[in-house]
Amino acid sequence: MGKTGYFTHRDCWKHDMGGGHPECPERLDAIEDRLLLTGVGDALERCDVPLATLEQITRAHSVAHLEHLEALSQRLIEDNPAGGPTQAMLDPDTVLMRYTVLAARRAAGAAVAATDAVMSGQLENAFCAVRPPGHHAEREQAMGFCFLNNVAIAARHALEVHGLERVAVVDFDVHHGNGTENILAGDPRVLMVGFFQHPFYPFSDVDHPAANMLNLPVPAYTKGMDVRELIDMMWLPRLEEFKPQMIFVSAGFDAHRDDEMGQLRLNENDFAWITERVHEVARRHSHGRIVSLLEGGYNLDALAQSVEAHIRVLADLR
């Protein structure tokens, strides 16, 4: 049995977009509490989380993007003692505050550190319980609760630093991972597969994707069994043909039927089934190497139960 790593850091709790915002620090509390209650956390290898470096971040983002975020953060820190604002609105849903860049760099650092640990053989796979999420963050733009694209940073790290030739990104959030597609589209070393509710935020153009993108837009109220059938027919043949040497997962759990963020009708058993299929591909082609990163999931009970189900498969605890 290979080890499953668990990457998180208290800096990820410090980013707070305000009372009532669904992407809140309590999401990580719910996950921690569930893993403690069920004993699943005892089976995981807790790992250190560094800050992502400029070199690591700029494999997926421009220097100007990071400098813009850091300048906004510094302005908030400097102006606050004089009665200045405590937050900067980047879009109607995405708020930067003084600790946002710290948390985002820590989340991206977890993705990189998990990649290194899995590639070294220290771990078979890993789950990163981090926030802010990342899959909406484009090369030049923060949006949709996301500032830095954790999964794209990790994928590029595996390619550029570890010399892999083929990596896959699996995205099962209720929303399209437009940022990941924006960064990785056209890179033949990457295959990205995803399903998501459509039409829905971020209202991306999903009709003419690049050759290395496999989008499965599904209508509201689609049930888990229908998603499973699509994955069997569409995702799995492409993944088998591609033979990824490592798999990265944008693990969004807001497609759960109890999550009011969207209108899909999956449950924790569906997320476990998806994880099993991905795990099987990884064991055939990738020496079991998977790095999974938390994206969406805003009903705290559904999120915690779904993450538990996801990790149980990764850690062979079922």
Side-chain angles (χ1 to χ4, degrees):
M1 182 187 299
K3 292 182 181 177
T4 295
Y6 185 78
F7 291 75
T8 194
H9 194 281
R10 294 308 303 183
D11 284 348
C12 293
W13 272 258
K14 293 180 179 179
H15 167 62
D16 190 343
M17 293 191 282
H21 198 290
E23 207 293 280
C24 59
E26 289 78 13
R27 298 175 66 228
L28 298 184
D29 288 328
I31 293 170
E32 291 277 345
D33 290 348
R34 182 74 184 183
L35 297 181
L36 178 63
L37 177 67
T38 60
V40 170
D42 295 335
L44 306 177
E45 187 91 1
R46 286 191 173 254
C47 303
D48 293 336
V49 176
L51 290 168
T53 66
L54 175 65
E55 181 180 14
Q56 292 162 353
I57 292 167
T58 54
R59 292 192 183 102
H61 297 282
S62 69
V63 173
H65 172 70
L66 182 59
E67 287 179 343
H68 174 63
L69 296 179
E70 290 182 333
L72 287 175
S73 179
Q74 189 61 35
R75 192 178 310 154
L76 292 175
I77 293 169
E78 292 173 355
D79 291 351
N80 183 250
T86 60
Q87 297 178 328
M89 296 286 294
L90 302 187
D91 69 25
D93 300 312
T94 309
V95 181
L96 183 142
M97 45 83 69
R98 64 181 299 168
Y99 295 114
T100 297
V101 175
L102 174 66
R105 286 187 60 200
R106 195 70 75 176
V112 171
T115 301
D116 288 341
V118 170
M119 283 301 304
S120 72
Q122 175 189 343
L123 302 170
E124 180 182 16
N125 56 50
F127 179 76
C128 300
V130 293
R131 53 180 296 279
H135 76 152
H136 292 310
E138 298 185 347
R139 177 171 172 78
E140 305 280 356
Q141 182 177 357
M143 60 182 289
F145 311 167
C146 303
F147 301 86
L148 299 176
N149 195 307
N150 305 318
V151 74
I153 290 167
R156 283 276 169 80
H157 182 75
L159 293 165
E160 304 297 342
V161 174
H162 292 285
L164 295 186
E165 298 176 348
R166 297 179 309 280
V167 302
V169 174
V170 173
D171 187 315
F172 55 71
D173 196 274
V174 77
H175 305 99
H176 176 221
N178 63 293
T180 311
E181 181 163 336
N182 170 263
I183 293 166
L184 299 178
D187 187 336
R189 302 171 298 173
V190 181
L191 170 66
M192 180 178 174
V193 299
F195 75 82
F196 45 86
Q197 183 176 327
H198 182 73
F200 199 45
Y201 183 89
F203 304 103
S204 315
D205 177 13
V206 298
D207 296 327
H208 303 94
N212 66 322
M213 299 285 140
L214 176 56
N215 294 323
L216 298 181
V218 298
Y221 309 110
T222 298
K223 296 180 179 178
M225 292 307 297
D226 297 318
V227 170
R228 294 187 193 198
E229 185 175 357
L230 284 171
I231 288 172
D232 271 335
M233 290 191 304
M234 304 293 289
W235 277 14
L236 296 182
R238 283 290 297 275
L239 288 166
E240 290 290 343
E241 178 186 17
F242 187 68
K243 296 180 174 60
Q245 295 166 305
M246 190 167 188
I247 300 176
F248 296 90
V249 180
S250 274
F253 301 99
D254 41 7
H256 196 286
R257 64 190 177 194
D258 294 336
D259 198 309
E260 295 182 357
M261 184 62 68
Q263 290 84 41
L264 296 186
R265 292 293 178 259
L266 280 70
N267 60 37
E268 53 271 22
N269 294 325
D270 296 311
F271 295 123
W273 183 91
I274 294 167
T275 310
E276 286 171 352
R277 301 289 84 75
V278 173
H279 206 196
E280 290 164 2
V281 173
R283 285 187 162 161
R284 279 194 290 275
H285 302 295
S286 315
H287 304 287
R289 296 189 291 232
I290 298 172
V291 171
S292 177
L293 299 139
L294 180 65
E295 300 285 2
Y298 305 101
N299 177 297
L300 298 184
D301 288 339
L303 170 64
Q305 292 168 23
S306 298
V307 169
E308 178 203 350
H310 179 62
I311 290 177
R312 281 186 179 276
V313 176
L314 292 177
D316 289 320
L317 296 177
R318 301 193 78 205

